[in-house]
Amino acid sequence: MVSPGSDDVSSVLMRGSGLMASLRSSQDPEDLKQGMSEQAMRETGSGTSMLRTVVLVISACLIYGIMQGIHDNYGIMMKSLVPHTGVSYQEISFIIGVGAVLYGLVQPCFGILALRKSNAFVMLIGIAMILTGLIATPMCRQFPTMLLFFGIILPSGTGALSFGIVMSAITPMIGEKKAAAVSGIVQASAGVGDALMSPALQFLISWHGIAFSMGSFAMLMAATLPVIFWIGAKSRELPAPEGESAQAEKERLSDIIRDAFRNRTYRLIFIGFSTCGFNMSIIESHLFSQFVSWGISQNAASMVMMIYGIMTMLGAMATGFLCMRFPMKNVLGTVYGLRVLISLSMLLIPGSLPLALIATGCLGATGDSTVPPTTGLITREFGARKMAVYYGIALVGHQVGAFLSSSFGGICAEQFGTYAPLWAANAVLCAIAASASYAIRR
């Protein structure tokens, strides 16, 4: 038996269902699609499955690790480029210094270009420049051409695949919460690249010469092209935040630079990161040659540099986790303080293989470990979307320090026959960096 009024209720429900169906059909399909995409992003935090997140992180590590493996092995390349090209050690040291400055200068420019075009577009430009530099450099026989390919084109290309660009490419797809942990993993991939590529480069040079070795590295870099195309395709699936494209078109680099240096925290970060470049260029440009000058064979020195790569990976991951438990400014200041002690040991203790092993391990542990707290502080101040640009500006100071270190190291080696003044200067600069970092307000 049907109760009275049940027909009325059924009819109301049917009319309500019809009304909802008509509303759904009248909605713009593109708006519906965008709404669903935004809802999915909110629900997952990144719009991707866990598997896709893992693949994105591996892809970022592959791109950044190979690039950094090329960038960090200029010192091994230089040792073979001197007799191969006829360009002097001091001249190539100067060229590496010029490249170090350009590596920093191009990054904020590429960051702005990535905001207006895409991060994948910038990375493709970088791949083309790296391939050109690696293939053409061994063909150079004079200072001007060496400066063009080894000092301008190659380092500018590596700047297009920098940490900020790579992280900015994947952060919208993995979410800002995951990005904090992922940044330490991606930075650690630079250590993996060093650990594998330093001995591989030395082996290839001893087996078939510098031209073959740099050409092999060019092929390895070219192998990342499908990965970059895939990241670009996935990033295009995400809807752009409302008004972001128009805002990116209006943003000028000069305005961003002015805003950056009005910020006290950023000024202190910039001071510390500038001295960081001086320290890192010693490792990348002169440490291998210094070990050889101690009587260590080139093969043994390249194996020692492999320890640097491993410890770089562990150090970056360790500071990433430490930043989750302690104030980032204190983690950063402590790393700079440890560099003071390492520099003093290189200055005061006679050179030997045991010292090379211990010092290289410590230099690796404190090498890239400044990046997680530095990028964390920048993201805290300015947000994740512009992190690549602000990090790139800070890296200009980093690379100016690298230029001074590379050039001064060449002068020390050829004019004084010792690297002692270089390490003394590094100890003073690291002490300044530690003081600046501790002075950052929480």
Side-chain angles (χ1 to χ4, degrees), residues 174-230:
I174 64 175
E176 291 185 17
K177 291 183 179 179
K178 293 180 182 178
V182 167
S183 65
I185 299 173
V186 174
Q187 184 61 45
S189 69
V192 177
D194 290 340
L196 298 177
M197 293 175 70
S198 293
L201 177 61
Q202 185 59 46
F203 169 77
L204 290 171
I205 290 173
S206 62
W207 178 47
H208 220 280
I210 187 65
F212 176 82
S213 304
M214 295 182 76
S216 299
F217 273 27
M219 294 177 63
L220 184 63
M221 192 77 256
T224 64
L225 282 170
V227 179
I228 293 174
F229 281 118
W230 179 77

Side-chain angles (χ1 to χ4, degrees), residues 62-183:
L62 183 66
I63 296 167
Y64 184 66
I66 293 175
M67 181 283 292
Q68 202 67 33
I70 293 170
H71 179 268
D72 288 352
N73 281 308
Y74 291 158
I76 296 178
M77 295 177 191
M78 176 170 62
K79 198 70 179 177
S80 297
L81 284 172
V82 171
H84 182 82
T85 63
V87 183
S88 72
Y89 184 93
Q90 186 171 343
E91 287 177 323
I92 296 183
S93 294
F94 175 80
I95 288 170
I96 291 176
V98 172
V101 175
L102 280 176
Y103 177 74
L105 286 174
V106 300
Q107 289 195 36
C109 301
F110 279 133
I112 291 292
L113 181 61
L115 286 175
R116 296 181 178 177
K117 299 289 288 185
S118 71
N119 289 287
F121 177 78
V122 169
M123 288 191 286
L124 290 174
I125 293 175
I127 293 286
M129 298 180 76
I130 290 173
L131 298 184
T132 301
L134 287 173
I135 294 171
T137 293
M139 302 178 188
C140 301
R141 295 296 180 271
Q142 295 180 340
F143 175 81
T145 52
M146 178 69 74
L147 175 63
L148 174 63
F149 290 106
F150 196 55
I152 297 176
I153 294 177
L154 177 58
S156 296
T158 58
L161 275 71
S162 65
F163 178 81
I165 297 293
V166 174
M167 278 302 300
S168 293
I170 67 170
T171 295
M173 292 180 278
I174 64 175
E176 291 185 17
K177 291 183 179 179
K178 293 180 182 178
V182 167
S183 65

Side-chain angles (χ1 to χ4, degrees), residues 370-418:
T370 58
V371 175
T374 298
T375 55
L377 288 167
I378 291 173
T379 302
R380 187 189 71 183
E381 293 293 319
F382 303 104
R385 191 178 74 87
K386 295 182 181 178
M387 189 273 288
V389 182
Y390 284 98
Y391 179 74
I393 297 169
L395 205 66
V396 173
H398 183 283
Q399 297 310 112
V400 169
F403 167 76
L404 296 174
S405 173
S406 178
S407 301
F408 185 49
I411 294 171
C412 289
E414 292 211 340
Q415 301 299 324
F416 308 126
T418 177

Side-chain angles (χ1 to χ4, degrees), residues 306-374:
M306 181 176 69
I307 296 174
Y308 169 78
I310 295 172
M311 293 306 296
T312 295
M313 174 183 64
L314 297 176
M317 294 182 67
T319 53
F321 286 110
L322 287 172
C323 286
M324 299 174 65
R325 300 197 61 182
F326 302 99
M328 288 183 284
K329 74 182 191 72
N330 292 345
V331 175
L332 187 60
T334 302
V335 171
Y336 286 133
L338 290 172
R339 288 181 179 181
V340 176
L341 300 178
I342 299 167
S343 299
L344 291 175
S345 70
M346 294 293 289
L347 182 64
L348 301 174
I349 301 175
S352 63
L353 182 58
L355 175 61
L357 291 169
I358 296 170
T360 301
C362 294
L363 286 168
T366 60
D368 288 345
S369 57
T370 58
V371 175
T374 298

Side-chain angles (χ1 to χ4, degrees), residues 419-441:
Y419 292 95
L422 187 64
W423 287 107
N426 192 57
V428 173
L429 292 173
C430 290
I432 293 172
S435 301
S437 300
Y438 285 126
I440 295 173
R441 294 172 185 151

